């Protein structure tokens, strides 16, 4: 027996979470299955975005995901510092999992399967590791980045969420401090103050190779903190990652089913790695075309902009 759904989402990260929220906002009774190999949705990430990059049509259902917001941010370059009066916001994986999980729990025909491995993704069905076949009128594969391509560089990061003994200005996000040493292609540090004494401080840099020395970059973060006269009372959480970056506009976006989405499908900004704005645009498209054909001229136009 094959279980049948309107929409099968493979991967429980940002992209598929947004697609699910967008579809359920339009069709609360939609039969949706989300499959995630991990024990929780979202992994261990912090997604940041400019608030004005959220499409008007998504603001209602996206709003619960906004965990922290600042009405202005600062950037620092050698010889230039500037305060930008533009709203900026973030969402952590933990908050994302709560919001998306609650929406699935409230939807009568939405099902979430965690700790579930997938063997194969087809155009209209998915085979699980235990041999179970689930079928979907639409199938979305958003299992995370593929391996690097021949033209890939890499964005690498180590971030520490810390409790500080020294208070900081919690009204302004430091979006980019590029006055730091530049050992590779480009490096900056950012500080997102969740309160006067709680902040996420992350060292992000670009390089040609994928190697990431987490311990060494962690020490760079701690050194940056100390150089600014701040004292860490406790490291609450750590996140790190290596993202293949194609260094060019346009990605390997497939225009046939299954829909390959998120980083796996090239749906991110190719120079900065920002994913929320692009993922939102794709989620809105899927929500609008859910009862018909996802692929078509509108999809081609959207894919052509990435």
């Amino acid at each position: 027996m094959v279980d049948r759904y309107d929409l099968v989402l493979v991967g429980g990260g940002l992209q598929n979470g947004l697609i699910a929220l967008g579809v359920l906002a339009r069709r609360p009774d939609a039969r949706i299955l989300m499959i995630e190999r991990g024990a929780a949705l979202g992994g261990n990430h912090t997604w940041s975005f400019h608030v004005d990059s959220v499409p008007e049509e998504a603001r209602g259902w996206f709003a619960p995901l906004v965990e922290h917001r600042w009405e202005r941010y600062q950037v620092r370059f050698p010889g230039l510092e500037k305060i930008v009066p533009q709203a900026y916001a973030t969402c952590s994986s933990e908050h994302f999992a709560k919001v998306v999980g609650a929406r699935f729990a409230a939807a009568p025909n939405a099902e979430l399967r965690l700790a579930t491995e997938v063997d194969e993704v087809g155009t209209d069905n998915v085979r699980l590791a235990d041999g179970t076949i689930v079928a979907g009128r639409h199938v979305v594969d958003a299992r995370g980045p593929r391996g690097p391509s021949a033209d890939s560089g890499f964005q690498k990061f180590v971030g520490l969420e810390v409790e500080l003994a020294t208070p900081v200005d919690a009204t302004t996000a430091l979006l980019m401090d590029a006055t730091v040493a530049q050992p590779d292609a480009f490096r900056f540090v950012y500080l997102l103050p969740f309160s006067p004494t709680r902040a996420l401080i992350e060292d992000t840099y670009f390089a040609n190779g994928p190697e990431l020395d987490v311990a060494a970059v962690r020490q760079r973060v701690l050194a940056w903190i100390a150089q600014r006269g701040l004292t860490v009372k406790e490291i609450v959480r750590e996140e790190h990652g290596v993202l293949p970056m194609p260094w060019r506009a346009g990605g390997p976006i497939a225009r046939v089913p299954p829909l390959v989405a998120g980083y796996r499908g090239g749906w991110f900004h190719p120079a900065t790695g920002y994913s929320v704005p692009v993922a939102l645009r794709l989620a809105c498209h899927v929500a609008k075309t859910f009862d018909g054909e996802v692929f078509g001229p509108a999809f081609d136009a959207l894919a052509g902009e990435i």
Side-chain angles (χ1 to χ4, degrees), residues 116-137:
T116 301
E117 294 283 349
V118 167
D119 268 355
E120 185 177 352
V121 178
T123 58
D124 58 3
N125 64 80
V126 175
R127 186 177 71 220
L128 307 183
D130 64 4
T132 301
I133 302 293
V134 294
R137 186 160 50 86

Side-chain angles (χ1 to χ4, degrees), residues 273-285:
Y274 270 85
S275 53
V276 171
V278 179
L280 271 170
R281 288 157 64 191
L282 180 58
C284 289
H285 172 79

Side-chain angles (χ1 to χ4, degrees), residues 26 63 95 138 183 201 287:
R26 283 177 171 261
H95 183 71
H138 303 293
I201 303 172

Side-chain angles (χ1 to χ4, degrees), residues 147-193:
S149 62
D151 64 348
S152 286
F154 297 88
Q155 182 191 78
K156 300 183 279 191
F157 59 89
V158 174
L160 302 179
E161 185 173 340
V162 296
E163 186 69 26
L164 296 167
T166 314
V168 296
D169 176 8
T171 67
T172 306
L174 174 56
L175 200 61
M176 182 178 291
D177 179 5
T179 65
V180 295
Q182 302 290 319
D184 292 291
F186 179 59
R187 173 184 170 229
F188 62 91
V189 176
Y190 67 76
L191 185 154
L192 302 179

